[in-house]
Amino acid sequence: MKGWMGKFRAFFLLGSIALMLSACGKENLTALEPKGKGAESAMDLIILTTIVMLFVLFIVMLIYVAVLLRYRKKKGQEDFIPKQVEGNKTLETIWTVIPIILLIIIAVPTVTATFDLADNSGSKDGLNVQVTGNQYWWHFNYQGQEIQTSQDLYVPVGEKVYLNMKSSDVIHSFWVPTISGKMDVNPENENTMYIEAYEEGVYWGKCAELCGPSHSLMDFKVVVVSQEEFDQWVKDMKNVNPDKQPQDAVAQEGKSLFQQNNCMSCHAIGSSPVQVGPNLTNFGDRSKIAGILDPTKENLVDWITDPESIKPGNKMTGNYPEVSEEEAGKIAEYLLQLKPSEITPESAGN
């Protein structure tokens, strides 16, 4: 009894932990509450395959129980050997045809959804964004708009946005689980897909392909706003003047330090082509620093002074002169004032 009770308690404990962990997650980072075309298609496929697997499980268990009950060894028949049957063509045909039918039921909508997600036939008249995956950040170039930005992808609600994706280094994978499916981002070839969000808000994106020591930290956001807000954001981004001086004296010193320490050799402000590091045009409006840190001055100072401790293997480490904490504070003050638009992640969906 003691051994049985011990096993029961262990099973109950593990089951309780699994149940609690199943409720853990982040808002707008789940494929189980779709708010976009791609995620909705994926959810439909999840439901379909689950129904098919449950059907197979039910039939197998039904046959298993029936065989156990009917052909179990009975008292007085310990030496009885039942009639040996083999080569039943009818049974073999049934258990060959049924799996083929079930695979077709799953395969047809899966292939259809895959081709639909990659359909870019409407890209000529739609919004096109060139997406570049880098270790460990994302760059977005709005084609035809002369807008370059990084980490936060702004899109209008209810509109198909066509993404043309390529990597600058290793293989990455673009995934915004709440609104889209996954797509590999390769250095050799360009892959295309579209995203279409049904509701305004901020949706978390992840790199879904192991790409280095900071792969799990390669986060980004998709900011979905109304068409009017998106048009205003585009206008604001186009009117950015990278040479404009901040009004605050500390920020002015920060801008001078930013230039003196060759930060501009890796980062761009405005519509300049993609650099080694992320575009900083609207850095002060971003929802996260380096994709993972809360946008506070303290976190930004930590990132500037020691980025390796936050994102191991990043390309920023060791590529600029060492700065003091005071100098980093002034640079942080300047960067946090780069707020060209009132359309921000905080305002999305409000």
Short mmCIF file of all heavy atoms in Angstrom, two decimals, residues 17 137 228 230 262 265 304 313 337:
data_model
loop_
_atom_site.label_atom_id
_atom_site.label_comp_id
_atom_site.label_asym_id
_atom_site.label_seq_id
_atom_site.Cartn_x
_atom_site.Cartn_y
_atom_site.Cartn_z
N ILE A 17 1.65 20.11 -11.24
CA ILE A 17 2.65 21.04 -11.78
C ILE A 17 2.41 21.27 -13.27
O ILE A 17 2.47 22.40 -13.76
CB ILE A 17 4.07 20.49 -11.53
CG1 ILE A 17 4.37 20.48 -10.03
CG2 ILE A 17 5.11 21.33 -12.27
CD1 ILE A 17 5.69 19.83 -9.68
N TRP A 137 18.59 40.40 -33.80
CA TRP A 137 17.61 41.45 -33.92
C TRP A 137 17.03 41.43 -35.33
O TRP A 137 17.53 40.74 -36.22
CB TRP A 137 18.22 42.83 -33.61
CG TRP A 137 19.41 43.16 -34.48
CD1 TRP A 137 20.68 42.71 -34.34
CD2 TRP A 137 19.41 44.01 -35.64
NE1 TRP A 137 21.48 43.21 -35.33
CE2 TRP A 137 20.74 44.02 -36.14
CE3 TRP A 137 18.44 44.76 -36.30
CZ2 TRP A 137 21.10 44.75 -37.27
CZ3 TRP A 137 18.81 45.50 -37.41
CH2 TRP A 137 20.13 45.48 -37.89
N GLU A 228 -5.63 54.95 -40.11
CA GLU A 228 -5.35 56.37 -39.92
C GLU A 228 -4.09 56.57 -39.09
O GLU A 228 -3.25 57.43 -39.40
CB GLU A 228 -6.54 57.05 -39.23
CG GLU A 228 -7.83 57.10 -40.06
CD GLU A 228 -8.55 55.77 -40.11
OE1 GLU A 228 -8.23 54.89 -39.27
OE2 GLU A 228 -9.41 55.60 -40.99
N PHE A 230 -1.65 54.42 -38.78
CA PHE A 230 -0.50 53.96 -39.55
C PHE A 230 -0.06 55.04 -40.54
O PHE A 230 1.14 55.29 -40.70
CB PHE A 230 -0.84 52.67 -40.29
CG PHE A 230 0.30 52.14 -41.11
CD1 PHE A 230 1.38 51.52 -40.52
CD2 PHE A 230 0.30 52.28 -42.50
CE1 PHE A 230 2.45 51.04 -41.26
CE2 PHE A 230 1.37 51.81 -43.26
CZ PHE A 230 2.44 51.18 -42.64
N ASN A 262 31.77 56.70 -32.52
CA ASN A 262 31.56 55.95 -33.77
C ASN A 262 30.30 55.07 -33.76
O ASN A 262 30.23 54.06 -34.46
CB ASN A 262 32.78 55.07 -34.09
CG ASN A 262 34.04 55.89 -34.33
OD1 ASN A 262 33.97 56.97 -34.93
ND2 ASN A 262 35.16 55.40 -33.85
N SER A 265 28.63 54.50 -37.10
CA SER A 265 29.18 53.57 -38.07
C SER A 265 28.41 52.26 -38.09
O SER A 265 28.50 51.49 -39.05
CB SER A 265 30.66 53.28 -37.75
OG SER A 265 30.79 52.64 -36.50
N ILE A 304 24.45 49.54 -22.81
CA ILE A 304 25.56 50.24 -23.46
C ILE A 304 26.90 49.86 -22.84
O ILE A 304 27.89 49.65 -23.54
CB ILE A 304 25.34 51.77 -23.38
CG1 ILE A 304 24.12 52.18 -24.21
CG2 ILE A 304 26.57 52.51 -23.89
CD1 ILE A 304 23.71 53.63 -24.03
N GLY A 313 27.15 36.95 -27.37
CA GLY A 313 27.40 36.73 -28.78
C GLY A 313 26.88 37.82 -29.69
O GLY A 313 26.95 37.68 -30.92
N GLN A 337 15.10 60.05 -26.17
CA GLN A 337 14.34 61.18 -26.68
C GLN A 337 14.07 61.10 -28.18
O GLN A 337 13.47 62.00 -28.76
CB GLN A 337 15.06 62.49 -26.35
CG GLN A 337 15.06 62.83 -24.86
CD GLN A 337 15.62 64.22 -24.55
OE1 GLN A 337 15.64 65.10 -25.41
NE2 GLN A 337 16.04 64.42 -23.31
#
